[in-house]
Amino acid sequence: MMTDTSRPAIEPNCSTELSELLQQIRACQQCQAELPLPPKPILQASSQARILIAGQAPGVKTHHKGIPFDDASGERLRAWLNVSREQFYDPARFAIVPMGFCFPGTIERNGKKQGDKPPRPECAATWHEKLLALMPQIELVLVLGQYAIEYHLHSKMTVTQACEQWQHYWPNVIVLPHPSPRNNLWLKQHPEFERVLIPKIRSRIAALLNS
């Protein structure tokens, strides 16, 4: 397996065990035959992180940039959380652990792109339990999307159902719709999300970052 030699042997804000695990994850190629592009696991983690963002999987733009949420979706997500880019990309504050670490490919029907494929299941099965066990400071999980809901809430609920039942999981887990512009219609149909839940999320995030 190839390793990313640009990364330090021991990453800042990481225990030795977590740093070694991150190196293993970033060298992982177990899904190589199933991926449309070379494996490139993308995540952010630290032993000190108190907030976990659990998304779906990197898109093709993220694959090429190597930076999660460095797009319009990320701008909206940071606005929802009321945090700066500097705060967001500080692994000691935010861990970013999607259900799939590599771009899974695009669904095409009748020659038209229909969005990305589901996250590869091997990531969660192989890495997630080990990874989360080495981040004991996590106090809040922000869950984005159906596959993250199934893993973190052990439920087949839709995003809409989970958002409507946010009080059942507060204050340790919060379900968000994906911040993609593709969800503008959902946000328009559910104005209570931004009116009611976003202020509470911002307050919770601020309390964790400032404590």
Side-chain angles (χ1 to χ4, degrees):
M1 294 191 296
M2 297 179 63
T3 58
D4 185 353
T5 55
S6 67
R7 295 185 180 276
I10 302 298
E11 300 199 6
N13 302 311
C14 280
S15 65
T16 301
E17 191 174 2
L18 177 56
S19 183
E20 291 174 351
L21 180 62
L22 288 172
Q23 290 185 51
Q24 293 174 34
I25 291 172
R26 290 174 176 135
C28 178
Q29 298 192 23
Q30 65 174 325
C31 303
Q32 184 173 12
E34 308 297 332
L35 298 174
L37 298 172
K40 188 178 180 179
I42 296 172
L43 71 160
Q44 174 175 299
S46 164
S47 309
Q48 298 178 16
R50 302 179 69 184
I51 303 165
L52 169 65
I53 299 174
Q56 300 290 85
V60 66
K61 291 182 180 180
T62 297
H63 172 89
H64 292 301
K65 287 185 176 182
I67 304 173
F69 293 107
D70 188 25
D71 53 15
S73 297
E75 290 298 325
R76 174 178 272 171
L77 178 57
R78 286 185 284 276
W80 282 350
L81 307 183
N82 195 30
V83 298
S84 66
R85 283 180 62 91
E86 181 181 10
Q87 290 172 314
F88 187 81
Y89 289 115
D90 180 356
R93 292 185 170 106
F94 287 91
I96 303 174
V97 181
M99 296 311 302
F101 298 142
C102 295
F103 170 58
T106 303
I107 298 172
E108 292 192 14
R109 295 189 179 94
N110 300 320
K112 295 183 179 181
K113 294 182 179 180
Q114 303 288 325
D116 290 347
K117 293 181 178 179
R120 294 296 311 173
E122 293 87 346
C123 286
T126 305
W127 302 113
H128 278 56
E129 185 175 350
K130 298 176 185 176
L131 187 59
L132 296 176
L134 295 176
M135 293 190 289
Q137 305 299 321
I138 296 294
E139 295 185 44
L140 172 62
V141 181
L142 300 173
V143 179
L144 280 63
Q146 188 62 52
Y147 296 97
I149 288 173
E150 292 180 10
Y151 184 85
H152 288 278
L153 299 186
H154 310 289
S155 171
K156 294 286 188 179
M157 283 190 299
T158 65
V159 171
T160 299
Q161 290 171 331
C163 286
E164 289 174 346
Q165 299 178 36
W166 64 270
Q167 291 177 325
H168 292 287
Y169 308 103
W170 183 271
N172 299 318
V173 179
I174 302 171
V175 175
L176 308 176
H178 196 281
S180 167
R182 293 181 181 180
N183 272 337
N184 285 345
L185 179 59
W186 188 96
L187 293 169
K188 185 176 181 179
Q189 293 173 336
H190 301 85
E192 68 280 359
F193 170 75
E194 292 186 306
R195 187 181 69 250
V196 176
L197 195 51
I198 287 300
K200 295 183 179 297
I201 293 171
R202 288 177 174 177
S203 177
R204 178 79 171 116
I205 294 288
L208 289 172
L209 293 182
N210 295 328
S211 63

